[in-house]
């Protein structure tokens, strides 16, 4: 398979080209191009995974640019992390596209949607396969373009356009840091190759400051793409796009790319322990803050969006404490249960026409397949055993405890309790209790089989993947690493999760007045969370200071200094002209008098000087 690994990304690219050129002729059947291509890619990726598990090296490269002594190669390299990601991305994306056939049926830009989705997945697969920064960055930026196009798919709504633009701009902020890190490392090592870069940096015997700076610049790219604080503000707004795109961004592409970037360049971070600590700190704060914001959302998709921010924070904790394998394990399990949850939310929206959970309720009786699979995904997100989320999140927090990073452990444990709370809250508000809007409930129905079948398929790994690969994935990604052990403290996250779920059950199965009293008592905290910790306001202020502020200063300088100097010369000339005009009045006697006075003054001055 070493010579054919490139087909994993090339097949969806071919499907994209076919959709662009013949999509209109075949109508909605053009979606099958992408589905078939991704299905074959998933099979190829699975074969590659098996071969990598058995120790086979899968890599290839060709000369790309040669200018004098400068030689740049282009190619791919598949190790354990890449093999896992290739399989996950192609598999999950394939079922999201199958689901989309039902969800997007009848859409005015149906074929454009599927073409962009297929290109989106192609770009993600390219970043995973790439063995160098140039090819990686190409796929990375194409993902940014596709996210802009897909978030703004329904561009008739100005809010969607604003959300797409916000996502594009905020992630570009992180990309500036990544690009600076790439060029700085290249200026020192003269290589873009991921495998050669760590060795080239190590022989230079650079100071810790330089290595930390390069690593943190690379991490800034991950902060933007994986929606870490403070660049997380774009991700909730990205819910403006079609729900399958929300699933794709949150599960298989885009946000996963940031975590993968840190994992792909992990040897550089290992040489820069201070930078690695910052990775863990940013992840821990993101996990906690993201969970707090999810607790007060009423839009079902935004609950899941803030949940994604939080879960990405857990992955960064794993990377930051040296347990890269645990971070990738959670990335893998998260892909399945978060795709399941978003597609389940899409099924609810498709049936009810609303995203507001205050307008739902009682849908268990109308959408049993959707409800059951959504609950499975919710249990995995809440890390309730024996679901996949329990094993992967437990590995991260146990690794943090074992590394004595207690701040990371406690923030993660508290986040686990809040996660179970908002998951139980969303399940109860959506599927149980009395219908809040009888007119919506009356027309609710189960989604077609093309949408529910992917839910059942994704529910299987969401429920059981952790049981199957808990030990093997650790030995595969980090051979010889013992299982992390937090002792009795290892039960704390699960205990807090159970408490969180019970609190949500008590609040959302009891009288509404009980919740109203609690909100009233915690009003300042409630406002803080509803305003998303004021990050959007802070972001607007920073943009104003960095963008509008300097522009106003430059405008003032231009108006009062540059124009002031020019206008001042003009005004001075006018003043002299007015004074001269008083002298030149056409009176000959006045001229003679002026000349006589001038001569007298001149003579007196000459005499004084001569004396």
């Amino acid at each position: 398979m070493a010579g054919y690994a490139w087909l994993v990304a090339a097949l969806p690219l071919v499907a994209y080209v076919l959709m662009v050129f013949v999509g209109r002729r075949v109508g909605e059947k053009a979606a099958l191009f992408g589905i078939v291509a991704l299905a074959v890619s998933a099979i190829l990726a699975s074969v590659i995974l098996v071969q990598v598990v058995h120790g086979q090296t899968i890599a290839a490269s060709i000369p790309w640019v040669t200018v004098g002594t400068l030689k740049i190669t282009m190619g791919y390299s598949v190790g354990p992390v890449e093999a896992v990601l290739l399989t996950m991305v192609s598999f999950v994306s394939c079922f999201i596209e199958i689901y989309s056939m039902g969800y997007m049926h009848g859409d005015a830009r149906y074929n454009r949607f599927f073409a962009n989705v297929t290109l989106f997945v192609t770009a993600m697969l390219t970043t995973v396969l790439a063995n160098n920064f140039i090819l990686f960055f190409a796929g990375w930026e194409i993902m940014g373009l596709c996210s802009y196009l897909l978030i703004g798919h329904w561009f008739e709504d100005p809010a969607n356009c604003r959300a797409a633009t916000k996502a594009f701009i905020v992630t570009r902020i992180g990309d500036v840091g990544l690009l600076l890190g790439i060029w700085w490392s290249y200026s020192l090592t003269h290589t873009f190759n991921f495998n050669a870069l760590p060795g080239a940096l190590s022989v230079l015997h650079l100071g810790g400051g330089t290595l930390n700076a390069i690593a943190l610049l690379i991490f800034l790219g991950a902060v933007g793409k994986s929606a870490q604080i403070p660049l997380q503000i774009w991700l909730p707004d990205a819910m403006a796009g079609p729900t399958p795109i929300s699933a794709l961004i949150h599960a298989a592409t885009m946000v996963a790319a940031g975590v993968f970037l840190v994992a792909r360049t992990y040897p550089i971070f290992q040489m820069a322990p201070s930078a690695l600590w910052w990775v863990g700190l940013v992840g821990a704060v993101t996990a906690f803050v993201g969970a707090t914001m999810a607790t007060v959302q009423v839009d079902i998709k935004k609950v899941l969006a803030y949940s994604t921010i939080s879960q990405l924070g857990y992955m960064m904790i794993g990377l930051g404490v040296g347990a890269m394998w645990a971070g990738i394990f959670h990335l893998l399990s998260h892909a399945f249960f978060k795709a399941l949850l978003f597609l389940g939310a899409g099924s609810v929206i498709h049936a009810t026409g609303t995203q507001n959970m205050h307008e739902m309720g009682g849908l268990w009786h109308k959408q049993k397949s959707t409800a059951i699979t959504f609950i499975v995904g919710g249990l995995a997100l809440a890390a309730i055993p024996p679901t996949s989320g329990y094993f992967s999140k437990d590995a991260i927090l146990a690794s943090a405890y074992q590394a004595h990073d207690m701040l990371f452990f406690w923030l993660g444990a508290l986040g686990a309790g809040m996660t179970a709370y908002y998951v139980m809250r969303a399940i109860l508000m959506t599927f149980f209790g009395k219908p809040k809007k009888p007119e919506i409930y009356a027309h609710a129905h189960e989604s077609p089989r093309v949408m529910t079948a992917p839910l059942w398929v994704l529910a299987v790994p969401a429920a059981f993947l952790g049981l199957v690969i808990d030990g093997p994935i650790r030995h595969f990604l980090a051979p010889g690493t013992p299982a992390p052990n937090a002792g009795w403290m290892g039960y704390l996250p699960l205990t807090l999760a159970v408490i969180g779920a019970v609190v949500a059950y008590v609040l959302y199965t009891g009288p509404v007045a009980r919740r109203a009293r609690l909100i009233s008592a915690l009003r300042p905290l409630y406002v803080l969370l509803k305003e998303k910790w004021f990050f959007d306001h802070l972001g607007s202020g920073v943009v104003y200071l960095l963008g509008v502020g300097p522009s106003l200063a430059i405008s003032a300088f231009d108006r009062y200094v540059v124009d002031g100097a020019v206008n001042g010369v003009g005004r001075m000339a006018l003043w002299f002209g007015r004074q001269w005009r008083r002298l030149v009045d056409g009176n000959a006697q006045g001229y003679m008098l002026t000349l006589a006075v001038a001569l007298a003054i001149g003579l007196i001055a000459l005499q004084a000087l001569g004396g």
Side-chain angles (χ1 to χ4, degrees), residues 511-529:
V512 176
R514 181 184 298 167
R515 298 197 298 275
R517 287 195 299 270
L518 181 63
I519 291 173
S520 179
L522 301 175
R523 190 71 186 174
L525 177 60
Y526 181 77
V527 171
L528 175 68
L529 300 183

Side-chain angles (χ1 to χ4, degrees), residues 1-9 11 40-52 56-60 76-78 86 129:
M1 289 301 299
Y4 299 99
W6 58 275
L7 287 172
V8 176
L11 287 173
V40 177
S41 291
I43 295 170
L44 289 174
S46 300
V47 174
I48 290 170
L49 177 61
V50 171
Q51 293 185 334
V52 173
Q56 183 171 340
T57 300
I58 297 180
Y76 58 85
S77 175
V78 182
L86 284 177
L129 281 169

Side-chain angles (χ1 to χ4, degrees), residues 60-62 64 72-77 126-138 182 191-195 264:
S61 63
I62 58 173
W64 186 54
I72 300 177
T73 60
M74 191 69 69
Y76 58 85
S77 175
T126 300
T127 63
V128 176
L129 281 169
N131 70 350
N132 62 86
F133 264 127
I134 294 179
L135 186 59
F136 177 95
F137 196 73
I182 291 172
T191 181
F192 291 109
N193 189 280
F194 286 126
N195 297 326
R264 192 70 176 89

Side-chain angles (χ1 to χ4, degrees), residues 481-539:
T481 301
N485 183 12
W488 67 269
M489 288 289 285
Y491 296 103
L492 179 64
L494 178 59
T495 303
L496 293 175
V498 172
I499 293 172
V502 171
V503 170
Y505 181 83
V506 171
L507 286 177
Y508 286 90
T509 57
V512 176
R514 181 184 298 167
R515 298 197 298 275
R517 287 195 299 270
L518 181 63
I519 291 173
S520 179
L522 301 175
R523 190 71 186 174
L525 177 60
Y526 181 77
V527 171
L528 175 68
L529 300 183
K530 287 294 284 187
E531 292 294 333
K532 298 166 285 190
W533 288 70
F534 297 97
F535 274 109
D536 280 348
H537 301 285
L538 291 172

Side-chain angles (χ1 to χ4, degrees), residues 524-572:
L525 177 60
Y526 181 77
V527 171
L528 175 68
L529 300 183
K530 287 294 284 187
E531 292 294 333
K532 298 166 285 190
W533 288 70
F534 297 97
F535 274 109
D536 280 348
H537 301 285
L538 291 172
S540 299
V542 170
V543 169
Y544 185 86
L545 290 174
L546 298 181
V548 179
S551 70
L552 291 175
I554 292 170
S555 176
F557 179 82
D558 181 65
R559 183 180 299 111
Y560 297 112
V561 178
V562 177
D563 287 352
V566 174
N567 294 335
V569 171
R571 284 191 292 268
M572 185 178 295

